[in-house]
């Protein structure tokens, strides 16, 4: 009986692939914003210190990893 | 007959919630890295121009939006 009550948005132990597709799309949009802002930031700081460059690279790498994680679910 | 062949990782039109939980966890880890690098970057550029501040804020806002998108799937 309780099992039937589980027929909600997440379908018990499963999620609609459309929900995942939409999530992927929305996150990718925000990732584009991050990468765009980062490029502008690199342009604004042409004489960036080694540390600054390291931190900006870290952000790029993390954004690329998020992109790869999303791609893996396609 | 063909219907039965669909019993793969994505279960046809559905995704295992465990897959989503794992994705959320991995993306959140990367988001933490982004926010940490951004905080260090702000510290490295105490006299940031208005434009620099704007771009760093943009990255923060996008990261927060990704976090909110992930939270909405919990």
């Amino acid at each position: 009986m309780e099992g039937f009550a589980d027929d909600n948005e997440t379908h018990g132990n499963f999620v609609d692939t459309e929900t995942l597709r939409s999530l992927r799309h929305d996150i990718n949009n925000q990732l584009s914003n991050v990468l765009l802002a980062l490029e502008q930031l690199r342009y604004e700081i042409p004489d960036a210190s080694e540390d600054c460059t390291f931190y900006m690279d870290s952000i790029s790498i993390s954004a690329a990893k998020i992109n790869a994680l999303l791609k893996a679910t396609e």
Side-chain angles (χ1 to χ4, degrees), chain A residues 1-58:
Chain A
M1 285 294 225
E2 279 166 335
F4 287 102
D6 246 345
D7 192 24
N8 58 15
E9 220 180 40
T10 56
H11 303 274
N13 290 323
F14 299 98
V15 178
D16 197 317
T17 50
E18 180 56 29
T19 304
L20 186 62
R21 197 203 59 79
S22 167
L23 178 69
R24 195 160 49 216
H25 180 261
D26 292 343
I27 292 178
N28 270 327
N29 270 352
Q30 297 305 325
L31 277 184
S32 297
N33 292 348
V34 167
L35 292 174
L36 196 66
L38 199 59
E39 284 317 300
Q40 301 284 355
L41 200 57
R42 286 187 199 271
Y43 181 81
E44 288 290 325
I45 321 171
D47 55 345
S49 68
E50 208 175 304
D51 281 356
C52 278
T53 304
F54 173 79
Y55 296 130
M56 288 190 285
D57 289 348
S58 294

